[in-house]
Structures are given as C-alpha cells and as structure tokens.
Amino acid sequence: MHVPDGFIDAPTSAVTGVVAAGAIAVSLRGARRELDEKTAPLAGLVAAFIFAVQMLNFPVAAGTSGHLLGGALAAILVGPYTGVLCVSVVLLMQGILFADGGLTALGVNITDMAIVTTVVAYAVFRGLLAVLPGGRRSVTVASFVAALVSVPAAAFAFTLIYAIGGTTDVALGKVATAMIGVHVLIGIGEAVITALTVGAVIAVRPDLVHGARGLRRELKLRVNGELVDAPAAPVPAAARTSRRTLWITGLVTSLVLAGFVSFYASANPDGLEKVAHDHGIDKRTEEHASADSPLADYGVKDISDARLSGGLAGVIGVGVTVVAGSAVFWAVRRRRTRDVSPAGTDV
C-alpha cells in the first residue's frame, strides 16, 4: 500500500504531511509514557521486524500479493504511540533508501499505513479485551481481529484521500470496491502474522507486551471466610527468557527473513499496485526521487546475482532500521527519564 509520487496532488499531499507531522509529535510525547527500560530496546527491534516482514509478499488472489502493514503488531507489542513511530521509521527508511513509497507522498503513507492502522487496530484490540475473558489467549484473539480490521480500514482511508486529491479521473466507487475487496484478503495474512508474533512473545515474556499489561488476575485464597491475596510464587530465573536473548532472537529472525526468505516472496504486484494498474490510477505516477539509490527496488546496485543482491539489501535494511529506530526510542526514553527525575521537577 505504499503510495508513489503522482497518485495524490500536491495540496493534499501537503495536508497529509502536516497531519503526519502532528501525529508524530503527539506520538513522541505519548511514547514517553509507554517506553521504559524493558520496552525501549524492543521498540527498535519491532521496527526492524516490520521492515523484514514487509519484504515477504504473499499471494492473495490471481496476480495479486499482499504484505504486512504492521500497525496492529506494533501497537499491541509496544503501545499505540510508539507503534506510530515504529511504522513511520520503517516508511522513512523505505522511501529514502529503497525508493518504496514516494517522498512527496510520505505524509500520505504515514497517515494511511502508520496512523490509521495503529489507531484502528488498537481501538478494536482494547474494545475486544474489554469483553473477552482475561488471559493470554484473549490477547492473541484480539490481536488477530484488530489486525484483520486495520488493513481494509487503511484501504478505505486511501480511498478517501484519493477522493480528495486523486490525480486521475477514476470512479470513486470502483476504487473503493477494488481497494477494500483485495485488502480484506490481505488483512487475513496480516492477522495471522500479527497473532502468531504476539502469541510467541507472550509465551516467553508477557511482561514485555504492552497490550497484555494489567490482564493478570491475582490469585485469591479464602481465609476465615474472607478472600485475601495469595502470596506471589517466585518465577525461576531459568524459566524466563532474558530481554537480551529475546532481542537477539528477534534480530536474527528479522535478518533471516529479509536476507534469505524474502527471495521466495511473491513477485506479483501488491494490492494497491494491482488496483492502480487495472483502473488507471497510476497514469500520472512520477519517477521516485531516490530511483538512483544504490538500494532502489530492494537490490544492491552492481550486484547481478538477484538472490545475493536482494538478500544484502534486506540485511542492510534491517540493520539501518534497527539502528534508526533504536536511536529514536533511546532518545524518547532518555527524555522521559529526564522529565521524571527529581532534578527536573519543580519544587
């Protein structure tokens, strides 16, 4: 769903750029409350993982593929504010380094793929948790549904943006039907990936999953006719996966997915590309400003072997994204520490 330059006119792109900038500013403040010494390192890894999995296009219909958007996954793992930042970092790296998603359309892409997916997914997720029984299984189920809904929501948001600033004269009904229809199918893949990933992290470190906070119900004992809190049972250190082990495992997984598995991804155009080609939305597509980038189109320039070129590009992308994301979240966490420190408190 990366919108290229030329799909949306300049005034609309500028307005979405302002919206995106405002949302990022709000998210930077909100992320201070979400990030702590446990979750700050995880946030950079989540961004890198989303980058890696977005390289794995999966077939969804004849001649069409889809890939993870990541808003739901990021929001549930590290919080909605931090989630917006995670996806925004990924989109920025993709646009600048890999010529994926137009630079003038960056505001459109952040609004659509980072803000809409995160907000919608987290709202659905919290709403479901309010009615489902408390427990890890409910978190996984809610993750699946939230991710499923977030993708067609993003397709609907693109349709609205196109209705306002589309550069081609295509019937809005056709655009809406085609976009939402194919992205419902893509949403199923998004839901599976999100639920499996959230479930895997919950299985080893539920305390690191933002969406699972506060779900643990304290055990009660009846003593002399009254319910009292049972003493907490100590958790053996060997039974818990350390944050370092989880981080290294996640990084290695991301590198393998981007550097090796991505070679076997579907080569079919994704949902937006297919709809744009079939309905003529892409008639005014402009050449990407980073078309001459050494990593354009997810390949390393001057390396003729496709497998090696794509694999190296994926590994570089994961590395750059985890460094950029970690730098952002480290700075946010440091700002939070400064804000809550006694020295920074007015007396």
Side-chain angles (χ1 to χ4, degrees):
M1 198 179 288
H2 295 76
V3 178
D5 297 318
F7 274 28
I8 306 299
D9 62 26
T12 306
S13 296
V15 170
T16 57
V18 172
V19 171
I24 289 174
V26 171
S27 296
L28 285 169
R29 294 184 61 86
R32 296 182 202 172
R33 300 189 297 271
E34 295 174 344
L35 295 172
D36 54 28
E37 68 280 358
K38 291 183 178 180
T39 57
L42 181 64
L45 177 61
V46 168
F49 182 77
I50 290 173
F51 174 90
V53 180
Q54 282 197 3
M55 294 183 67
L56 308 180
N57 282 46
F58 48 85
V60 294
T64 310
S65 69
H67 62 70
L68 182 81
L69 298 185
L73 177 62
I76 295 165
L77 287 180
V78 292
Y81 294 107
T82 309
V84 169
L85 298 178
C86 282
V87 182
S88 297
V89 167
V90 173
L91 294 171
L92 185 61
M93 295 300 100
Q94 290 171 332
I96 293 176
L97 297 179
F98 298 92
D100 189 9
L103 295 184
T104 62
L106 185 60
V108 175
N109 285 320
I110 290 177
T111 299
D112 194 23
M113 296 177 64
I115 300 170
V116 172
T117 58
T118 301
V119 171
V120 170
Y122 200 70
V124 172
F125 177 78
R126 298 308 310 185
L128 288 173
L129 287 187
V131 298
L132 291 173
R136 298 178 186 178
R137 182 174 298 178
S138 294
V139 175
T140 304
V141 171
S143 300
F144 182 94
V145 178
L148 177 63
V149 174
S150 70
V151 178
F156 179 73
F158 168 80
T159 303
L160 291 180
I161 294 172
Y162 176 81
I164 297 171
T167 56
T168 53
D169 186 18
V170 179
L172 187 60
K174 291 183 178 180
V175 177
T177 300
M179 282 292 294
I180 296 174
V182 72
H183 283 90
V184 167
L185 299 177
I186 295 173
I188 297 173
E190 177 104 10
V192 171
I193 295 170
T194 300
L196 288 176
T197 305
V198 171
V201 179
I202 286 181
V204 294
R205 288 300 299 265
D207 58 310
L208 296 182
V209 178
H210 180 89
R213 292 178 180 178
L215 289 180
R216 182 177 296 176
R217 297 178 178 178
E218 299 296 334
L219 179 64
K220 299 287 186 177
L221 296 178
R222 187 173 295 278
V223 178
N224 296 327
E226 297 183 359
L227 289 176
V228 298
D229 292 336
V235 179
R240 301 185 63 182
T241 301
S242 70
R243 294 198 303 272
R244 177 178 296 180
T245 299
L246 179 63
W247 195 91
I248 292 174
T249 301
L251 180 60
V252 170
T253 300
S254 300
L255 291 170
V256 171
L257 292 176
F260 178 73
V261 181
S262 62
F263 181 78
Y264 301 97
S266 173
N268 290 331
D270 66 21
L272 176 58
E273 291 174 329
K274 179 66 173 176
V275 172
H277 177 73
D278 289 348
H279 296 277
I281 298 175
D282 59 356
K283 290 180 180 178
R284 296 188 180 180
T285 302
E286 300 173 2
E287 184 179 11
H288 199 286
S290 298
D292 294 329
S293 166
L295 299 173
D297 297 324
Y298 298 95
V300 178
K301 192 174 183 179
D302 297 330
I303 294 182
S304 57
D305 185 280
R307 185 190 297 269
L308 179 60
S309 177
L312 284 176
V315 168
I316 293 171
V318 168
V320 171
T321 303
V322 75
V323 169
S326 297
V328 169
F329 300 123
W330 177 83
V332 171
R333 176 194 168 196
R334 186 178 182 184
R335 182 65 179 271
R336 167 185 168 160
T337 303
R338 186 183 303 128
D339 289 345
V340 301
S341 64
T345 304
D346 294 331
V347 179

